[in-house]
Amino acid sequence: MNTETILYIILAGIIALSLALFQYIYKHRKRSKTYVLLTFLRFVSLFSVFLLVINPKFNKITFFNEKPNLLIAVDNTESVKYLDQDQKTRDLVELLQKDEGLNERFDLKLFSFGKDVNNLEALSFDEKQTNPTVVFERFYQVYGNSIAPLILITDGNQTYGNDYEFAAQNYKQAVFPIILGDTTRYTDLKIEQLNVNKYAYLKNKFPIEIIAVYNGVEEVSTQLTISTGNTVVFSENLTFNKEQSSRLVNLSLPANRPGVHSYKAELKPLANEKNTVNNIKNFAVEVIDRKTHVAIVSDIIHPDLGALKKSIESNEQRQASILKPTEFLNQKDDFQQVILYQPNQNFKLVYDEIQTLNINTFTILGPKTNWLEFNRLQSFMQQTVTNQYEDFQPSLNSNFNVFIVDDLNFSDFPPLQTEFGTATFSLPIEIILYKTVNGIQLNEPLLWSYEVNQKRAVVLNGEGIWRWRAQSYLDKKSFHDFDNFIGKIIQYLDSNQKRSRLNVSYESFYNGNDNVLLTAQFFNRTYEFDKTASLEITVKNKESEQSQKLPFILKQSNYQVDLSGLEAGDYVFTVKAQEENISQSGEFKILDYSVEQQFLNANVLKLQNLATLSQGTSYFINDTDALVDQLIKDERFPTIQKSTKKVVPLIDWKFLLAFIALSLSAEWFIRKYNGLI
């Protein structure tokens, strides 16, 4: 309470006392006990009212005890069940949950993890990928500034993400790994890794690299075979011993027919081998009969060029070449598409050749564009030339209907720079991204497409797309989403087919651990995205003839269905709009492979290193008796007494109003009783 408020309170007391004395003592000249009591009650009433007017503020301090958090993260993947540790894990989790000492000392928080982290509800051990790294990343964000030791119940085998041993170094909390498994080493052969390109080209050969590993001491012999259907296309005898425990096999197979072809690589099992699942790896190759060659024509050097080339060539069906305008003119017949990057006066002959060859184009404009020359080179767009530049951020047009565009969180992407001024168009355009300035969306296009005379084109009015690719990696830890976005633009320019009201996006084949997601877009008769459509997919297994129907779910600007639960095999599907007679069919393959079944043992050494580096202790699942006692007695995890300071104004004290009412009532009753009213 400051000095000024104290002075006001003293002054209020003097005034209240003066008024009370004037009314009952000075005015009546009587000093009986009744008048003294009435003086006191009037003083209390007036002083309390004055206090409410002054409304002083008081600090209210409350104390409470905060228990440390005890985080329990449980591996919920298939490998735990495959190692026969599922029931032991359930029993341990139940024991920790019900332990009175732990609950009294800690605030228990339970989670399960596979590819991601979730609150623990039930353990099913059916997740197909293990990513312990995400545990440390999420817990660091949420519990990084508090006391939060971690019990990590896992076999330590990782199949996805960055190495968790390094990610744990940022967590700065004690980690107590519970190792699911034992140290027993079994004799085992396995295909450690198989490298093959996803695509091959017709009448070429595609390379395969296989790393085979042996775990044992005696010398053994086996046979490596690669087969497709019932036909063996490759065979080689391999010998292993304690010194030579791995073999690298390189081979090439012919691509004679277009389409998706599945293969099986297999090591012949040993007589005493416990795990034979990891002896087999299925893979597939899509043989295509042509490759899209894209020319990136630019008269300047810019990071955007490298980003575009990387994105285009992330799909092996495509190749990109960065060329000067003169170089393109010498090789013009080699390309199916052209990217025109910030055209200037040297692009006149390039535009003439593109017009002659009727090639689809992707034009990127920016501060280094010669706008006067660009306005002369083409007629579809005329830009007002101000020689001033502005930064524009993107905003996705949810009604764009030419091809499927996923929202990459464009609104958070870095801005692109281009000419400031209005642009006019001489033909209809389809806006993909709008310009946004300071969070306000303008009715001006940043990225758009158009079609004229059976020729397709896309235009991006902004320089700096390389920053988008970098931001996409920061957000997703992968370039895949951005590269897929550019890939869809290239795919749109690669075809002149008439657009359909129903578009379905899917892969030709999926690995056994991949998420099998199909996306679709449906448009009404005016080609506006229909958010009320009812789409249904019928999926049929070619071999078993079993089929099932599933509905699509609306996800922002498209519909999505998750088929990840399907067994390995060949499938045909039909997507149909239920209200109208519109459908699209296709087929895909799911390869038989479970990465979680490739392990024979827990990764004991890695979990023990994790415990040592974090100053924790590792335990085997069968030897956890001392864990609870150690946690309770560990002085690094104290209960902390904290206080909260809250500023409370006097007007919030409701009892003061009751006190004023009581004082006035008592004064009135005494005066009434003594005949003073």
Side-chain angles (χ1 to χ4, degrees), residues 536-548:
E536 186 177 69
I537 184 171
T538 302
V539 186
K540 182 179 179 181
N541 187 300
K542 287 185 178 180
E543 183 177 352
S544 65
E545 298 290 329
Q546 291 183 347
S547 63
Q548 57 178 304

Side-chain angles (χ1 to χ4, degrees), residues 184-209:
T184 306
R185 302 186 66 84
Y186 302 94
T187 301
D188 184 53
L189 280 173
K190 72 173 179 177
I191 298 177
E192 179 73 22
Q193 191 167 339
L194 189 150
N195 300 319
V196 63
N197 291 333
K198 189 174 182 179
Y199 302 99
Y201 298 98
L202 189 64
K203 297 182 180 178
N204 285 345
K205 288 189 174 183
F206 57 92
I208 302 172
E209 182 180 74

Side-chain angles (χ1 to χ4, degrees), residues 490-504:
I490 300 301
Q491 183 178 8
Y492 163 71
L493 297 173
D494 197 34
S495 172
N496 289 325
Q497 293 180 354
K498 183 179 178 181
R499 66 180 179 178
S500 170
R501 290 176 57 192
L502 176 61
N503 299 318
V504 182

Side-chain angles (χ1 to χ4, degrees), residues 249-264:
V249 180
N250 290 293
L251 65 135
S252 296
L253 295 179
N256 295 326
R257 293 180 294 110
V260 178
H261 303 281
S262 59
Y263 297 86
K264 180 172 72 172

Side-chain angles (χ1 to χ4, degrees), residues 48-198:
S48 298
V49 171
F50 291 154
L51 282 180
L52 288 177
V53 174
I54 297 170
N55 194 24
K57 296 177 175 59
F58 302 90
N59 293 328
K60 182 180 180 182
I61 300 177
T62 57
F63 296 90
F64 62 94
N65 292 329
E66 184 179 88
K67 296 189 291 185
N69 295 304
L70 178 60
L71 310 180
I72 303 174
V74 188
D75 190 338
N76 194 34
T77 58
E78 290 179 341
S79 62
V80 176
K81 183 184 294 185
Y82 191 70
L83 293 174
D84 198 25
Q85 301 293 318
D86 49 332
Q87 190 56 49
K88 292 180 180 179
T89 303
R90 290 190 182 96
D91 293 341
L92 175 61
V93 171
E94 185 178 0
L95 178 67
L96 294 174
Q97 278 183 296
K98 295 181 177 179
D99 190 276
E100 294 182 0
L102 277 183
N103 282 278
E104 183 178 347
R105 178 73 187 278
F106 295 95
D107 185 8
L108 270 62
K109 299 182 184 298
L110 287 85
F111 304 87
S112 65
F113 69 92
K115 195 174 181 178
D116 205 348
V117 180
N118 301 289
N119 290 322
L120 180 60
E121 296 178 357
L123 291 171
S124 56
F125 304 106
D126 59 356
E127 296 198 39
K128 299 181 181 300
Q129 296 275 20
T130 308
N131 183 18
T133 297
V134 74
V135 173
F136 297 104
E137 290 178 345
R138 299 285 175 81
F139 289 176
Y140 171 74
Q141 295 172 2
V142 179
Y143 302 103
N145 297 321
S146 61
I147 300 175
L150 169 63
I151 298 178
L152 186 68
I153 306 176
T154 180
D155 56 21
N157 295 312
Q158 182 173 8
T159 65
Y160 187 85
N162 298 324
D163 193 327
Y164 67 87
E165 191 173 353
F166 295 100
Q169 295 177 10
N170 295 325
Y171 185 52
K172 307 300 182 186
Q173 304 275 4
V175 181
F176 297 85
I178 305 298
I179 304 171
L180 303 179
D182 54 42
T183 57
T184 306
R185 302 186 66 84
Y186 302 94
T187 301
D188 184 53
L189 280 173
K190 72 173 179 177
I191 298 177
E192 179 73 22
Q193 191 167 339
L194 189 150
N195 300 319
V196 63
N197 291 333
K198 189 174 182 179

Side-chain angles (χ1 to χ4, degrees), residues 68 78 102 168 249 261 283 288 300 335 363 413 453 458 572 585:
E78 290 179 341
L102 277 183
V249 180
H261 303 281
F283 64 98
I288 54 181
I300 63 173
F335 303 101
T363 305
F413 275 17
N453 298 327
V458 175
V572 294
S585 299

Side-chain angles (χ1 to χ4, degrees), residues 331-346:
Q331 306 174 40
K332 58 183 181 296
D333 294 329
D334 297 338
F335 303 101
Q336 291 77 48
Q337 292 181 34
V338 179
I339 296 178
L340 302 168
Y341 188 79
Q342 304 212 49
N344 57 23
Q345 63 277 4
N346 297 327

